[in-house]
């Protein structure tokens, strides 16, 4: 799991339409699944343990990109 304390709008942009960005991260890293638990403000990641740091870094990067996109509007 990964703690996420971001505004809903940032998370909507970070996740993408129909979760397209989470799907890309999932497929690129060959892991089982990533989901966003809104109530607990966490990203839940299923996959091999040794891939978790890379996946978490990619998710954090995607959130930063989303935050920057929203600030530039």
């Amino acid at each position: 799991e990964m703690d996420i304390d971001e505004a809903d709008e940032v998370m909507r942009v970070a996740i993408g339409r129909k979760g397209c960005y989470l799907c890309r991260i999932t497929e690129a890293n060959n892991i089982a699944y990533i989901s966003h638990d809104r109530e607990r403000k966490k990203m839940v990641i299923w996959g091999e343990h040794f891939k978790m740091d890379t996946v978490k870094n990619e998710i954090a990067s995607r959130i930063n990109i989303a935050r920057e996109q929203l600030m530039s509007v």
Side-chain angles (χ1 to χ4, degrees), residues 1 6 13 15 25 30 40 43 52-53 61:
E1 292 184 345
E6 292 290 337
V13 173
I15 292 170
I25 295 170
N30 196 28
R40 297 188 315 139
M43 286 295 220
M52 293 300 150
D53 286 340
S61 177

Side-chain angles (χ1 to χ4, degrees), residues 33-71:
Y33 198 76
I34 302 173
S35 70
H36 179 220
D37 184 336
R38 289 184 206 148
E39 289 180 14
R40 297 188 315 139
K41 294 193 171 209
K42 293 188 180 284
M43 286 295 220
V44 182
I45 307 163
W46 288 274
E48 296 169 301
H49 183 71
F50 71 92
K51 296 180 180 180
M52 293 300 150
D53 286 340
T54 301
V55 171
K56 287 178 181 180
N57 287 337
E58 289 187 30
I59 292 169
S61 177
R62 185 64 213 142
I63 291 169
N64 287 333
I65 291 167
R67 199 179 308 123
E68 289 173 10
Q69 287 175 339
L70 289 169
M71 286 181 170

Side-chain angles (χ1 to χ4, degrees), residues 5-17:
D5 191 15
E6 292 290 337
D8 289 343
E9 185 65 19
V10 171
M11 292 310 297
R12 274 192 283 279
V13 173
I15 292 170
R17 188 169 297 186

